[in-house]
């Protein structure tokens, strides 16, 4: 039976949800997936850091109501976060990077991933920043050190759009895609269609936990732009940077725009797209578009995400599923570990009779 020791960098909603799953699902994973997960370290900006070579109790981590610096109360703990030391010295096989997304330079997450890979530790992340900005570099480091860099959850949360396209649709020849990959903006547009004005719809999204206190990244398309870069580079072999993607959000849409579209049997959606051009180059964009009701993306509502892949052999193939949520995103991390396990990597693996 295989045990993977993991270090959690960030202990907000996503990594906390992964710890919840470890506390309740480890026995099932051992039976169905062939491995168990053992948390040996955690570092968090608010809670501090802790290392335990023999493992930390996942249930205690989840249920204890730690205050600021609370990890300092634990054996091997400190009230201060020390991400670099945890990443480099913890006896972990896999580092789980789930800190905040920086859309400018990807830091500090890029450095977190780089340190882990250079330490011959696998990295899994849901963080869009390092994937959109530094994936080629990080993948090269991973290959050079015999480990893997996995990031399924960076787009569409736990819905496996990247692996679906690369593995299940291998050979179908993806030529482009268009998608709804931001649940907040999609929710806001749906509420506006129901007659709620933009500001009130954003406030509703914030109250429901879909939108941050500053919703700019969602409603102005900045979050979608990072995801377009990730998908274009991953599925179309592009080398795009975020600044190369034309980007327009939904804040300029008025109630009259929404009403006029409905009258014409059309619906506004914030669409992220990319296409391979005839000269082999790839171009992408983010913009609100009017879609006819018959379009496969027109009926995608609420916080649901969907991507329609344009393939040479199958035509359009649409993948739809949850685009947000703590447990859903934690599942993406699990799927990355499944991929690492399936690759039969022996790096840092501990075999137990």
């Amino acid at each position: 039976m295989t045990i993977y020791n993991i270090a959690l960098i960030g202990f907000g909603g996503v990594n906390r949800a992964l710890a919840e799953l470890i506390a309740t699902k480890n026995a099932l994973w051992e039976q169905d997936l062939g491995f168990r997960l053992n948390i040996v370290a955690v570092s968090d900006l608010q809670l501090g850091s802790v290392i335990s070579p023999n493992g930390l109790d996942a249930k205690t981590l989840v249920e204890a109501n730690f205050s600021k610096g609370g990890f300092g109360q634990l054996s091997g703990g400190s009230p201060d976060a020390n991400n670099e030391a945890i990443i480099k010295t913890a006896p972990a096989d896999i580092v789980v990077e789930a800190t905040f997304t920086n859309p400018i330079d990807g830091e500090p997450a890029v450095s977190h991933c780089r340190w882990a890979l250079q330490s011959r530790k696998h990295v899994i992340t849901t963080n869009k920043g390092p994937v959109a900005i530094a994936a080629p570099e990080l993948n090269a480091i991973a290959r050079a050190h015999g480990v893997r860099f996995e990031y399924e959850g960076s787009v569409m949360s736990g819905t496996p759009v990247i692996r679906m396209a690369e593995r299940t649709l291998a050979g179908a020849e993806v030529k482009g895609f268009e998608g709804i990959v931001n649940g907040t903006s999609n929710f806001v547009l749906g509420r506006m269609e129901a007659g709620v004005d933009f500001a009130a719809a954003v406030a509703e999204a914030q109250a429901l936990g879909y939108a941050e206190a500053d919703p700019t990244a969602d409603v102005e398309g900045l979050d979608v732009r990072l995801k377009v870069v990730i998908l274009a580079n991953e599925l179309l072999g592009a080398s795009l940077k975020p600044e190369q993607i034309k980007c327009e959000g939904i804040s300029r849409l008025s109630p009259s725009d929404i009403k006029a579209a409905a009258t014409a049997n059309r619906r506004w959606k914030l669409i992220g797209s990319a296409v391979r051009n005839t000269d082999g180059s790839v171009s992408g964009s983010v913009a609100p578009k009017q879609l006819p009701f018959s379009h496969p993306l027109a009926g995608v509502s609420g916080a649901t995400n969907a991507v329609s892949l344009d393939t040479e052999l199958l035509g359009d193939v649409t993948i739809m599923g949850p685009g947000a949520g703590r447990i859903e995103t934690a599942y993406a991390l699990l799927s990355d570990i499944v991929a690492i396990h399936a690759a039969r990597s022996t790096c840092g693996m501990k075999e137990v009779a």
Side-chain angles (χ1 to χ4, degrees):
M1 185 263 294
T2 301
I3 295 176
Y4 291 108
N5 288 337
I6 66 173
L8 307 180
I9 306 302
F11 201 63
V14 175
N15 268 349
R16 187 180 292 270
L18 179 61
E20 290 177 17
L21 293 178
I22 291 170
T24 58
K25 302 290 187 181
N26 242 345
L28 179 64
W29 294 345
E30 179 181 338
Q31 175 183 322
D32 291 353
L33 303 177
F35 62 78
R36 294 177 64 90
L37 301 181
N38 183 41
I39 301 172
V40 295
V42 188
S43 185
D44 181 81
L45 186 62
Q46 294 296 317
L47 300 177
S49 57
V50 57
I51 294 181
S52 176
N54 293 325
L56 296 156
D57 181 66
K59 186 176 181 181
T60 297
L61 288 173
V62 171
E63 294 183 353
N65 187 23
F66 290 112
S67 58
K68 183 175 176 61
F71 287 163
Q73 304 168 21
L74 302 174
S75 176
S78 166
D80 302 313
N82 194 336
N83 293 346
E84 183 174 4
I86 292 289
I87 290 168
K88 291 181 176 180
T89 66
D93 307 311
I94 300 170
V95 171
V96 188
E97 211 293 335
T99 63
F100 68 94
T101 293
N102 179 342
I104 306 303
D105 61 9
E107 293 292 356
V110 171
S111 290
H112 295 163
C113 296
R114 187 184 294 119
W115 294 332
L117 296 169
Q118 290 173 339
S119 301
R120 298 187 181 277
K121 295 167 183 174
H122 304 289
V123 172
I124 61 177
T125 186
T126 60
N127 195 322
K128 298 176 290 294
V131 184
I133 293 168
E137 174 201 352
L138 296 173
N139 275 311
I141 295 172
R143 288 191 296 270
H145 290 82
V147 290
R148 297 177 69 88
F149 178 46
E150 299 285 347
Y151 39 85
E152 180 64 60
S154 63
V155 180
M156 285 181 66
S157 184
T159 303
V161 61
I162 295 175
R163 288 201 183 93
M164 180 73 74
E166 291 183 335
R167 300 183 184 183
T168 306
L169 298 179
E173 301 176 42
V174 177
K175 301 184 295 180
F177 64 84
E178 57 181 356
I180 297 169
V181 291
N182 181 270
T184 299
S185 58
N186 200 47
F187 173 85
V188 169
L189 288 173
R191 295 301 294 141
M192 290 178 70
E193 190 173 353
V196 178
D197 66 39
F198 176 78
V202 170
E204 285 187 26
Q206 291 170 322
L208 291 169
Y210 296 153
E212 301 290 342
D214 180 358
T216 302
D218 293 321
V219 300
E220 298 301 346
L222 305 179
D223 173 76
V224 176
R225 180 167 65 179
L226 293 179
K227 293 171 180 175
V228 168
V229 169
I230 293 169
L231 290 178
N233 293 350
E234 192 75 16
L235 306 185
L236 302 176
S239 299
L240 294 176
K241 301 292 185 182
E243 59 269 21
Q244 295 175 284
I245 304 295
K246 298 178 181 179
C247 186
E248 178 186 350
I250 64 172
S251 60
R252 295 183 181 180
L253 290 178
S254 67
S256 60
D257 293 327
I258 303 294
K259 185 176 181 179
T263 300
N265 293 320
R266 302 176 75 85
R267 180 171 287 132
W268 285 100
K269 295 292 183 182
L270 183 61
I271 300 296
S273 63
V275 62
R276 183 179 291 111
N277 303 308
T278 55
D279 64 358
S281 65
V282 175
S283 56
S285 68
V286 178
K289 295 183 179 180
Q290 292 187 54
L291 303 180
F293 288 164
S294 59
H295 192 285
L297 298 179
V300 177
S301 61
T304 300
N305 282 190
V307 170
S308 185
L309 303 171
D310 177 18
T311 74
E312 180 69 27
L313 300 186
L314 294 176
D316 291 338
V317 176
T318 301
I319 302 167
M320 183 184 304
R326 296 170 58 257
I327 296 297
E328 293 86 347
T329 309
Y331 168 74
L333 296 172
L334 174 65
S335 76
D336 285 340
I337 297 172
V338 171
I340 290 170
H341 185 67
R344 305 297 186 195
S345 171
T346 59
C347 178
M349 189 182 297
K350 183 188 298 180
E351 294 291 344
V352 179

